[in-house]
Each structure stands twice: as C-alpha cells, then as structure tokens.
Amino acid sequence: MALDYPEDLKYLDTHEYARLDEDLVTIGITAFAVDQLGDIVFLELPEIGDTVEKGEKFGTIESVKAVEDLNSPVTGTVVEVNTPLTDAPEQIADDPYIQGWLLKVRIDDPSELEDTLSADEYRAQVEGE
Amino acid sequence: MTDPSQPLARTPLYDLEIGLFARMTEFSGWEMPVQYSGITREHQAVRTAAGMFDISHMGKFRLKGKDVLSQIQPLVPSDLSRLQSGEAQYTVLLNSQAGIVDDLIFYNQGQDAAGNQQWVVIVNAATTQKDKTWMLDHLDRSQVDFQDYSLHNVLIAVQGPKAVSHLQALVAEDLSGVKSFGHLEGTVLGKPGFLARTGYTGEDGFEVMVDPGVGVELWQALLAEGVVPCGLGARDTLRLEAAMALYGQDIDETTTPLEAGLGWLVHLDSKGEFIGRSRLEQQKRDGVTRRLVGLQMQGRNIARHGYPVLADGKVVGEVTSGTLSPTLGVAIALAYVPAELSKPGQTVDVEIRGKTYPATVVKKPFYRRPQ
C-alpha cells in the first residue's frame, strides 16, 4: 500500500506532521506512523490551555504492541484537542491528516518550522527505512 | 543473547510469509512475522474461527532409550510417570533454587519395536540452546539418544474453534478423538507428521510438525481452507488473555513455579527427588512471599512489562506482561505482587509514565473459551 504525504505539511523525523495556518498549527501523526504502529488502542493528549514545547513530548500513543511518545514540532499553547479520538483512537488510522488530527496549537514563532522536513524529504527518509 | 554478527535464521515458510505481506521482526535470532492483516483481526480470527502460526522457530528434541523416563524425571517437578503413550505434560525445567530454566512440553510417544522409550520435547525458541545444554548436562548420554530437530522441521499451530475441522480435511487419521494434550504420529497430506492437541492461545487446536516440504504445502492448504495467518503479535495477546506465562517475561530463573501460579505442575507427593525440590518444599511449608496475579486496569491506561506496582504509595511489585485485551476491551496485565495483596478484588496502583492508575486483582485466566 502506498502511503500518502501531503505536500502542504511539515514533517518531523519522529513521524509527527504540522500544518501551519497563520499562527495556528495543527499537529498529527503521519500515515507511515499509523502503518508502523498497527492497531492503535490508546491516546493520551494534553488539555486546552496547556503549553507544548518544540522537540518535547506532548502525549503518548499506544498500539497493541508498542508505546510511543508524541513530540511537538512547535512551542505554543494548546487551543483545541481532538478529544473524540481519545475515546476511539483506532479512528486515527482512517484519516490521519484530516479527521485524525491531534492538537491545534497557537504559536508565537512560525520560523520554528523551518528545520522540519518537506514531504519529499520525509518520504525519502521513511521509504529508506 | 542474539549475536548481531550472525544473520537471522528463517523458517522454511519465510517466502510464503513475505508473499502474504507479513511484517517481519527479529525474534531470538529468527526473522519472524509479527503481523499480517493486523493483530486485532488475527486475534479475533483465532477466537471466533481459525488462525495459524508459523512456530518452526521453537526448539524440538527427540529423546530415545531403554529408560528415558527415569532420566527426565529429575529435571521437572511434574510426575511424568503419570503419562500414558500419546499423552503430554506442560511443565518446567528447574534449577537448584527451583528457578525456572524454561517452560516446555514433554510428549510421551511410547515404545518402539526394540523397547526404546520415545519422547518429544518442544521448547521456547529463545531458550533452545540453553535447554539443550541443560538437558545434556543432566542426562546420562549413554542411556539417552538425544536428537535436536530444531532446524529440520516445520511446526505450524492451527488454533481456534474451527481449527480442528479445517485441519481434519488434510489429515488421514480421525482427530476428533484426540483429547487435549493428546498427540499421535499421523498422516498429513499423505506424508508422516506429528500432531498434538496443544497450543498457546486458550483455544482448541493442534500443533503439527512435518518435514519442510510438507510444511510449505500444509501452510498453503490451510490458507486455501480459509485459516487466517497470524503473527507473533496476536500470539502474545491471545496467550496473555489465557494467562499463559511467557518465558523471559513472566517467568525466568528467579521465579519458582509456586510463585508463578504453576503449582499444578508440582507433584511433591508422587515424585521422588528432582532438581529444586527442597526449595519448593520450603515454599510450600512457609508460603511464598510473592505471586503472579492477573490485573485489570480500572481505566483505559495500559500497564506494560516493567511498570511498577504500588500499594499505599510504595513500590511492591512489577508488571510482567500487559496489553489491551482485544476480546474483553479492557487493559489486562500479569504482575508479581506480595502474597498478601494477591487475592481477587484487591486494589493496587500501577505507575504509568510517572502517574499512578488503579488496578484490581482478578482471577486468571482473563478469558476462558466457552465449553
């Protein structure tokens, strides 16, 4: 199965993505991460008003077999959380880029995303794995 | 330990597994399928219909001699003299402190025409070499012909409520009369095969040992029958629901069968001397200080291997295995806790990523198949 990496997103080598819309960043995990994890069974996310830090863990995702940290691509304040997903985390797999987003974060400094990977760079990295 | 300079071993079914898009993983020096269609789907196939596992990586020994029984009796706490030909016993090899060297199955195959006793022993993949060394060190080699078949056979576990009917279509002998832990030398796709009504999933089923060529045909025939290929991932969630201990995780050389809830393997009354006996007698007399219990988490958080168990804010034990139970939909775990906290209904806490979450001690197994 070919995995999808939308061109308009920024990627971390730890398999999170960021979608920048003015000062709002939507954070999720990539289709590759979903595929690697297998059946996702648990999701732990911060709450609205919490702060996240670039490069730091903001939550946890678990599959039947594995526990993985979720890392933030930016520093900012959580303004929205996809809470329905914490009750049905397996639904991330259906649509990780649109319905399966995790957090929306208001950021101060968009330049933070400059050192992330483009879709092509990320694809080259994971397909080489 | 795995030597990283050594290439990973592959079973004769490797090419078929790759053809089924298996995701492969390193396991005890072998390259094995962890999943095909997804752990939950495979798990449910075994609980509701039939699944099959390539377990060719497990260790397989054949022991032959005039009096093999008296040689193997001192190695295990179970009284193997109770076994008739065609019967088998799940048991453990013990060290002098009654620590578990491995868990394994002894199959009594009766006598050959020359009066030799014949036994098959199937052991964990990770401990094959250790077990072989242990057994050879403790057996009188002039009395026992010990053969290691580990690399020369295919072993396929067919498990689930429909496993026997699917397998029956490919086997000459009537399988319906074989009782649990019974076994026979039979005819699989017209060729000789060893068939045992054993498994590691909590379901009915057989483990079938055949030559590699027959194994490839058998795998394909079972696939054509609609049996779902399953990987190590589903094997782990299935065995955990059935509360079957995993060697190296739930049991090891520091745990005794009485601590691990395997007291039913210990036949102190009917057995003579065996390695580890005095420690077990002492534990029986004084009581064990810790026990392996089943835990059910009260919330959605999953307790996993190595997580601390707490009571009154103090660490008192450790989780040895844990997952979200695909059948029950709740987080389950096995954990060692102090004996006084081991009764069903007892509440403890599990530390998960720095926070504590309540869990309840429950009766094992978590899942029992409908009779």
Side-chain angles (χ1 to χ4, degrees):
Chain A
M1 184 184 70
L3 299 174
D4 187 29
Y5 310 105
E7 292 290 330
D8 61 322
L9 304 184
K10 300 290 190 181
Y11 297 86
L12 295 187
D13 58 6
T14 49
H15 312 298
E16 293 84 0
Y17 68 79
R19 178 184 286 115
L20 180 64
D21 181 11
E22 295 188 354
D23 64 345
L24 207 61
V25 166
T26 303
I27 299 170
I29 63 167
T30 67
F32 176 82
V34 169
D35 183 59
Q36 290 293 303
L37 277 165
D39 302 312
I40 294 166
V41 294
F42 182 78
L43 187 60
E44 195 171 45
L45 297 175
E47 292 177 7
I48 291 172
D50 286 353
T51 53
V52 296
E53 279 194 54
K54 180 181 164 71
E56 298 288 313
K57 173 183 165 178
F58 70 78
T60 306
I61 190 162
E62 298 194 38
S63 67
V64 174
K65 289 303 290 175
V67 186
E68 297 290 341
D69 288 346
L70 295 165
N71 300 296
S72 181
V74 291
T75 300
T77 307
V78 177
V79 293
E80 219 178 319
V81 179
N82 195 349
T83 43
L85 269 190
T86 55
D87 287 330
E90 69 281 359
Q91 288 178 8
I92 296 176
D94 300 336
D95 184 8
Y97 296 115
I98 305 295
Q99 300 291 327
W101 62 277
L102 301 176
L103 301 182
K104 294 189 181 180
V105 174
R106 191 166 316 281
I107 59 170
D108 301 328
D109 180 8
S111 73
E112 275 190 342
L113 285 173
E114 279 168 11
D115 59 357
T116 53
L117 303 171
S118 70
D120 282 348
E121 288 166 336
Y122 179 70
R123 179 196 300 272
Q125 181 186 309
V126 299
E127 289 180 358
E129 273 183 10
Chain B
M1 294 299 289
T2 306
D3 178 351
S5 68
Q6 293 292 313
L8 295 176
R10 293 173 174 176
T11 81
L13 303 179
Y14 175 85
D15 288 341
L16 294 176
E17 290 157 357
I18 293 294
L20 292 167
F21 303 104
R23 179 169 296 162
M24 307 301 280
T25 189
E26 191 276 329
F27 182 83
S28 305
W30 293 80
E31 192 172 1
M32 297 299 293
V34 65
Q35 67 170 60
Y36 298 84
S37 52
I39 292 174
T40 307
R41 227 180 118 198
E42 293 163 29
H43 183 108
Q44 282 161 352
V46 173
R47 286 278 179 258
T48 61
M52 59 182 176
F53 303 81
D54 177 11
I55 51 169
S56 307
H57 60 317
M58 295 185 80
K60 312 162 205 81
F61 308 139
R62 287 182 190 271
L63 278 56
K64 201 166 128 177
K66 293 287 180 207
D67 193 11
V68 175
L69 177 65
S70 69
Q71 290 286 316
I72 55 180
Q73 277 280 60
L75 298 181
V76 298
S78 313
D79 186 358
L80 299 178
S81 74
R82 297 176 181 188
L83 299 180
Q84 305 291 316
S85 175
E87 295 182 342
Q89 167 89 47
Y90 168 80
T91 187
V92 287
L93 298 177
L94 294 181
N95 63 27
S96 61
Q97 288 306 299
I100 300 173
V101 174
D102 198 13
D103 64 334
L104 69 184
I105 299 182
F106 278 88
Y107 298 86
N108 181 355
Q109 289 201 295
Q111 291 192 358
D112 66 8
N116 287 304
Q117 297 174 357
Q118 304 177 102
W119 292 75
V120 166
V121 186
I122 297 184
V123 309
N124 284 300
T127 43
T128 302
Q129 202 51 49
K130 180 177 85 161
D131 292 4
K132 186 176 173 179
T133 304
W134 181 265
M135 291 176 79
L136 290 178
D137 282 351
H138 291 87
L139 295 171
D140 179 348
R141 294 299 303 282
S142 69
Q143 301 290 317
V144 180
D145 172 28
F146 183 100
Q147 294 205 43
D148 180 354
Y149 279 73
S150 301
L151 298 175
H152 305 297
N153 287 109
V154 159
L155 191 56
I156 298 174
V158 194
Q159 303 276 296
K162 296 184 179 160
V164 178
S165 64
H166 285 305
L167 184 62
Q168 183 66 74
L170 313 170
V171 174
E173 293 74 18
D174 178 16
L175 296 176
S176 65
V178 182
K179 56 187 184 177
S180 178
F181 278 78
H183 54 95
L184 68 151
E185 293 285 352
T187 313
V188 181
L189 297 168
K191 309 273 174 32
F194 171 83
L195 296 134
R197 201 160 195 161
T198 48
Y200 195 56
T201 61
E203 294 298 330
D204 190 13
F206 274 82
E207 294 174 311
V208 186
M209 183 158 62
V210 286
D211 284 341
V214 185
V216 167
E217 275 182 60
L218 176 62
W219 183 266
Q220 289 169 318
L222 289 166
L223 204 59
E225 284 272 323
V227 178
V228 175
C230 302
L232 294 174
R235 196 167 165 78
D236 192 50
T237 53
L238 288 158
R239 69 93 195 164
L240 184 49
E241 283 184 347
M244 293 170 170
L246 177 62
Y247 193 78
Q249 209 162 294
D250 307 307
I251 51 176
D252 59 29
E253 292 188 18
T254 69
T255 61
T256 77
L258 295 178
E259 294 166 350
L262 298 173
W264 55 283
L265 305 181
V266 179
H267 303 149
L268 288 174
D269 294 342
S270 68
K271 269 203 86 153
E273 196 50 46
F274 63 87
I275 301 169
R277 182 181 177 109
S278 60
R279 176 84 193 287
L280 293 179
E281 281 174 346
Q282 178 238 317
Q283 284 194 330
K284 203 96 184 188
R285 193 173 56 239
D286 303 343
V288 294
T289 56
R290 60 172 181 169
R291 282 181 202 281
L292 188 67
V293 297
L295 292 183
Q296 181 176 324
M297 300 301 292
Q298 292 178 11
R300 293 183 63 94
N301 287 273
I302 302 168
R304 294 190 187 262
H305 175 74
Y307 290 5
V309 176
L310 295 88
D312 299 325
K314 284 204 192 86
V315 175
V316 293
E318 191 175 88
V319 173
T320 56
S321 290
T323 193
L324 184 84
S325 161
T327 306
L328 308 171
V330 296
I332 57 171
L334 294 174
Y336 280 100
V337 300
E340 61 273 20
L341 301 178
S342 66
K343 288 225 164 57
Q346 173 73 43
T347 308
V348 293
D349 290 309
V350 177
E351 187 182 321
I352 301 175
R353 295 181 287 277
K355 291 186 208 159
T356 59
Y357 298 90
T360 307
V361 175
V362 295
K363 266 188 80 145
K364 295 186 289 186
F366 304 100
Y367 164 87
R368 195 187 291 276
R369 74 172 183 263
Q371 290 299 314

